Amino acid sequence: MRVGIYSGSFDPIHTGHAMVANYCAQWGNVDEVWLMVSRLNPLKEGTEPTDGLHRLRMAKLVAENCRGVKASGFELSLPLPSYTYVTLCRLREQFPEHDFTLIIGSDNWANFGRWRDAHKIIKEFGIIIYPRPGFDVPNDPPHGVEVLGNGPTAHISSTFVREAMADGANINYFVPAVVAEYIYEHGLYKQ
């Protein structure tokens, strides 16, 4: 089975993340998409994410409503720092029956050269690039890189959601309803 790994802090997971996962599971040339909750992004120094169990529970709420999407806390058990290449290698060891590929947004493609072992990720696992507003996708992608067509996009970020919550704003429709309910119930992202 070909599994697309869609990795991120998901702090919190929002409607844009859910759209990408759902689209890729249906039209991304993969059999399943795993929402891989990251412990800590090495390129986002100075930010401490919300507890991983909360982020994993919110990802599971999204996955329950998207056929072909699963949430995984696999990376939460790996030692820091969280490098994507290491995670993919460990997944390959743990699940040799699957072929893994990485799903990233075109915003991440713009700085993919800064990722540790970026060339190894492309060579050994491949990448699916999902278009994001304001970020170009390669017209002639290198071998091992697939660019998805015209999937739906949204101008939304987890930072925006966290800041909105801290300001006491209503976050309905910025995150899936089940995620909003979870955030309110657990008092997350309040100043």
Side-chain angles (χ1 to χ4, degrees):
M1 177 166 40
R2 187 176 192 223
V3 177
I5 299 298
Y6 183 29
S7 183
S9 301
F10 301 126
D11 193 18
I13 193 164
H14 55 66
T15 303
H17 294 133
M19 285 174 21
V20 170
N22 189 22
Y23 186 90
C24 288
Q26 295 182 76
W27 296 286
N29 195 25
V30 296
D31 299 300
E32 279 185 353
V33 171
W34 292 4
L35 294 166
M36 185 66 57
V37 179
S38 301
R39 281 183 69 190
L40 184 64
N41 183 335
L43 295 179
K44 293 182 180 177
E45 292 179 20
T47 60
E48 185 65 31
T50 303
D51 181 85
L53 290 178
H54 282 304
R55 294 181 290 119
L56 178 58
R57 287 179 190 139
M58 289 185 282
K60 284 182 177 182
L61 291 170
V62 168
E64 288 171 2
N65 291 299
C66 297
R67 187 183 64 224
V69 177
K70 294 183 178 180
S72 174
F74 183 85
E75 190 173 35
L76 295 174
S77 65
L78 297 179
L80 289 174
S82 296
Y83 293 117
T84 301
Y85 178 70
V86 172
T87 300
L88 290 167
C89 288
R90 295 281 173 86
L91 284 166
R92 181 172 54 196
E93 292 166 8
Q94 185 79 25
F95 305 99
E97 70 275 17
H98 298 322
D99 292 319
F100 293 98
T101 190
L102 182 65
I103 298 169
I104 63 172
S106 56
D107 55 327
N108 281 315
W109 177 253
N111 68 8
F112 193 71
R114 293 180 52 208
W115 290 32
R116 185 178 195 140
D117 297 313
H119 64 287
K120 289 183 180 179
I121 294 171
I122 293 172
K123 182 179 179 187
E124 295 179 34
F125 299 97
I127 295 178
I128 297 171
I129 301 175
Y130 191 93
R132 293 226 27 217
F135 296 92
D136 294 331
V137 294
N139 290 328
D140 188 22
H143 179 72
V145 176
E146 302 170 51
V147 178
L148 290 183
N150 299 319
T153 60
H155 275 289
I156 190 166
S157 71
S158 295
T159 301
F160 169 79
V161 174
R162 289 193 307 272
E163 290 172 353
M165 280 298 300
D167 291 341
N170 179 318
I171 60 167
N172 290 345
Y173 306 107
F174 304 135
V175 298
V178 291
V179 173
E181 186 177 312
Y182 185 93
I183 289 170
Y184 292 131
E185 180 182 328
H186 293 278
L188 301 178
Y189 309 114
K190 292 188 176 185
Q191 207 62 348

